[in-house]
């Protein structure tokens, strides 16, 4: 079959390129469309509206965390099932991943329906921003949470079934529609003053259309890929769902804990003034490109690793890992070099305020040092997810963000001052990578001994 030829027989460079290039493209487009709402709202020159959209980001990010939980976890388990020709297990994994994502979306939407306003007030909304923020949350999460979560889950599962181009096409469809629908809803269909709601409706509609595209293609894929499933079907089990969650929880933690870490850093850095906060925000936007490409590489690599591991193609698996790590590292080093040399120019592209440029350039020169480091950590995490290890990727995800870096923020603020806070990122990333390399070497030694004893 086509997907088996890609995973098993195609040259490793071609197989990896087929998996990661469409994923990288969709990740980059997702970065662009994630910025679109803020950019379009900014055209209104309404500071309260812009602030409201920014306030919603942590709440909206939880949608990505939930989709990672069931999408990345489901993709790893599904690819391993296909690697041992367990079509029934693969089909069960597909259904369980979609059901889990649907349940998570419904529960989160209901929570926000009843608790959305109090939560928004808790994280910084006030009388001038609460109505804008609630309108955005209602349409993107309460009304649009299901398609927003299920769309990337479908993309992850299609990659695991050897359909990376279709997965990326669906994601690009949603992103492109969002960019096109934003001005239509914001400035044409809705009256003035409802631009934030218009942006939210455009996001929800574009994700819904992308989900419909995926639903149609998934139905076709299930009929063809799982057509030879035995009539004596095994029902999905709790153990299978637990396996999906075990493989997906690191992806959930990476998003959720990064949000927590960013909130702590923003709170501390705010003592330097709004220019410092703005500079840090711009640096994060610049860093999104490197982050998206590296995520695309590891997410594209993961199903190939999982398939090869379960199929016993260990040499091919490690070749894929080495190739992916090399691609990620070369790109990350290039990003770091550009950020070091052109730091001020990059910040000036977004804003020309002299103080903001000063802070942003200084932060960028420090934070870019972490990019080639966390790149390799992502690859190691994907390896452990692919082979079905639960503890190692969870530990590395927590070390990556949300634990050591937060402790370092308090320590650096006490010892060196607020101006040096961003050094917490490269230091904590280096520590996570060292731990990850140790875990990977230990895992390789154990598997080599097992293979020798067989």
């Amino acid at each position: 079959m086509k997907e088996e030829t890609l995973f098993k027989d195609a040259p490793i460079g071609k197989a990896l390129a087929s998996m990661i290039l469409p994923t990288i493209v969709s990740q980059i487009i997702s970065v662009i469309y994630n910025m679109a709402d803020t950019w379009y709202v900014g055209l209104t020159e309404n500071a309260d509206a812009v602030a409201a959209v920014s306030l919603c980001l942590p709440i909206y990010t939880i949608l990505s965390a939930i989709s990672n939980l069931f999408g990345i976890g489901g993709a790893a388990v599904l690819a391993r099932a296909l690697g041992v020709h367990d079509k029934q297990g693969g089909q069960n994994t597909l259904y369980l991943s979609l059901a889990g994502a649907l349940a998570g979306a419904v529960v989160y939407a209901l929570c926000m329906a009843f608790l959305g306003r109090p939560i928004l007030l808790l994280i910084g909304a006030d009388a001038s921003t609460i109505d804008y923020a609630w309108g955005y949350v209602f349409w993107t999460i309460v009304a649009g949470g299901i398609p927003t979560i299920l769309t990337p889950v479908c993309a992850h599962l299609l990659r695991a079934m050897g359909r990376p181009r279709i997965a990326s096409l669906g994601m690009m469809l949603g992103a492109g529609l969002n960019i096109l629908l934003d001005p239509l809803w914001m400035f044409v269909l809705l009256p003035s003053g409802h631009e934030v709601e218009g942006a939210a409706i455009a996001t929800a509609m574009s994700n819904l259309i992308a989900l419909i595209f995926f639903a149609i293609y998934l139905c076709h894929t299930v009929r063809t890929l799982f057509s030879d499933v035995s009539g004596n079907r095994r029902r999905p089990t709790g153990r299978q769902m637990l396996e999906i969650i075990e493989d997906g929880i690191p992806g959930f933690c990476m998003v959720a804990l990064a949000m927590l870490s960013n909130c702590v850093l923003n709170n501390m850095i705010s003592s330097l003034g709004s220019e410092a906060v703005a500079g840090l925000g711009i640096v994060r936007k610049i860093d999104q490109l490197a982050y998206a490409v590296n995520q695309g590489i590891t997410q594209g690599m993961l199903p190939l690793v999982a398939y090869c591991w379960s199929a016993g193609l260990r040499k091919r698996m490690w070749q894929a890992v080495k190739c992916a790590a090399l691609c990620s590292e070369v790109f990350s080093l290039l990003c770091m070099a550009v950020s070091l040399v052109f730091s001020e120019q990059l910040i000036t592209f977004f804003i020309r305020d002299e103080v903001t440029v000063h802070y942003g350039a200084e932060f960028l020169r420090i934070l870019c040092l972490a990019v080639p480091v966390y790149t390799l950590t992502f690859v190691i995490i994907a390896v452990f997810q692919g082979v079905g290890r639960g503890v190692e990727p969870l530990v590395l995800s927590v070390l990556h963000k949300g634990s050591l870096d937060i402790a370092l923020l308090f320590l650096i603020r006490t010892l060196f001052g607020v101006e040096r806070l961003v050094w917490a990122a490269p230091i904590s990333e280096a520590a996570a990578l060292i731990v990850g390399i140790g875990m990977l070497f230990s895992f390789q030694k154990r598997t080599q001994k097992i293979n020798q004893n067989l």
Side-chain angles (χ1 to χ4, degrees):
M1 298 183 76
K2 183 180 178 181
E3 69 280 350
E4 192 166 19
T5 300
L6 176 64
F7 286 147
K8 186 177 180 181
D9 301 318
I12 195 64
K14 180 180 178 181
L16 197 59
S18 298
M19 293 297 293
I20 67 176
L21 288 178
T23 313
I24 289 173
V25 172
S26 65
Q27 285 281 342
I28 292 174
I29 292 178
S30 293
V31 168
I32 295 172
Y33 105 82
N34 283 334
M35 295 180 182
D37 284 354
T38 302
W39 188 80
Y40 278 121
V41 173
L43 294 178
T44 66
E45 298 185 358
N46 183 336
D48 292 334
V50 175
V53 174
S54 300
L55 281 169
C56 294
L57 181 60
I59 297 175
Y60 187 81
T61 301
I62 296 298
L63 297 174
S64 297
I66 296 172
S67 66
N68 280 354
L69 179 63
F70 295 102
I72 294 176
V77 178
L78 175 55
R80 288 199 299 270
L82 295 178
V84 293
H85 307 289
D86 181 10
K87 294 292 184 70
Q88 181 65 74
Q91 190 178 62
N92 288 346
T93 298
L94 175 68
Y95 294 151
L96 284 171
S97 299
L98 292 173
L102 177 60
V106 170
V107 169
Y108 188 55
L110 289 174
C111 288
M112 293 311 300
F114 291 103
L115 302 174
R117 280 182 173 271
I119 291 174
L120 286 168
L121 291 169
L122 183 65
I123 64 175
D126 55 25
S128 62
T129 59
I130 185 62
D131 289 335
Y132 292 120
W134 170 244
Y136 192 85
V137 166
F138 176 81
W139 286 108
T140 57
I141 299 177
V142 179
I146 291 176
T148 303
I149 288 176
L150 284 179
T151 297
V153 170
C154 291
H156 284 299
L157 294 172
L158 282 167
R159 289 189 198 103
M161 292 185 283
R163 269 75 168 183
R165 291 182 182 179
I166 297 299
S168 298
L169 179 61
M171 295 301 293
M172 288 187 282
L173 173 65
L177 283 173
N178 188 67
I179 294 172
L180 293 174
L181 291 175
D182 263 344
L184 178 65
W185 277 98
M186 292 173 66
F187 306 119
V188 178
L189 297 179
L190 293 182
S192 178
H194 294 267
E195 289 83 6
V196 173
E197 287 183 82
I201 293 172
T203 298
M205 284 191 63
S206 61
N207 285 325
L208 178 60
I209 294 171
L211 179 59
I212 293 171
F213 168 84
F214 277 134
I216 294 171
Y217 198 86
L218 271 176
C219 289
H220 169 73
T221 303
V222 169
R223 285 197 301 268
T224 55
L225 182 59
F226 301 115
S227 60
D228 56 345
V229 170
S230 171
N232 184 21
R233 296 183 177 180
R234 303 193 314 270
R235 292 184 177 182
T237 64
R239 174 58 197 165
Q240 287 176 305
M241 177 59 85
L242 181 61
E243 192 176 358
I244 291 170
I245 293 174
E246 285 178 348
D247 283 349
I249 198 70
F252 177 91
C253 289
M254 287 180 70
V255 174
L257 293 178
M259 179 187 68
L260 173 64
S261 176
N262 288 337
C263 288
V264 174
L265 178 57
N266 279 343
N267 180 266
M268 291 186 178
I269 214 79
S270 63
S271 63
L272 293 176
S274 59
E275 294 87 355
V277 176
L280 182 61
I282 292 170
V283 170
R284 289 199 181 110
K285 289 182 180 180
I286 295 171
D287 184 59
Q288 278 186 327
L289 174 62
Y291 191 89
V293 171
N294 287 314
Q295 284 282 30
I297 291 173
T298 54
Q299 288 179 10
M301 177 196 81
L302 190 149
L304 182 60
V305 168
Y307 182 96
C308 292
W309 173 261
S310 63
L313 305 173
R314 305 299 164 79
K315 182 178 179 181
R316 182 174 174 82
M317 185 193 86
W318 290 116
Q319 287 176 337
V321 172
K322 291 175 183 177
C323 185
L326 179 62
C327 293
S328 293
E329 194 62 15
V330 169
F331 177 78
S332 298
L333 288 171
L334 178 62
C335 289
M336 184 184 75
V338 171
S339 297
L340 287 172
V341 176
F342 301 104
S343 56
E344 292 188 1
Q345 291 87 339
L346 289 170
I347 303 298
T348 305
F349 178 78
F350 289 90
I351 195 168
R352 295 187 179 276
D353 178 75
E354 185 176 341
V355 179
T356 303
V357 170
H358 167 74
Y359 278 119
E362 183 179 350
F363 294 157
L364 181 59
R365 284 190 288 266
I366 298 170
L367 289 174
C368 74
L369 301 177
V371 177
V373 183
Y374 70 62
T375 292
L376 297 178
T377 304
F378 286 173
V379 172
I380 295 172
I381 290 173
V383 170
F384 284 122
Q385 287 177 302
V387 303
R389 304 283 298 186
V391 175
E392 290 91 341
L394 178 59
V395 170
L396 292 177
S397 297
V398 173
L399 283 176
H400 163 65
K401 284 290 183 183
S403 60
L404 180 59
D405 61 324
I406 293 179
L408 282 171
L409 287 175
F410 286 98
L411 181 63
I412 292 173
R413 184 177 66 173
T414 301
L415 297 179
F416 305 104
V418 179
E419 296 83 356
R420 301 289 180 266
L421 279 176
V422 291
W423 277 104
I427 295 172
S428 61
E429 295 291 2
L433 179 59
I434 292 170
V435 173
I437 291 173
M439 288 179 171
L440 191 64
F441 277 125
S442 175
F443 174 72
Q444 283 183 303
K445 287 184 179 179
R446 289 199 305 271
T447 54
Q448 287 173 355
K449 287 181 180 180
I450 292 172
N451 292 335
Q452 290 171 359
N453 294 331
L454 292 178

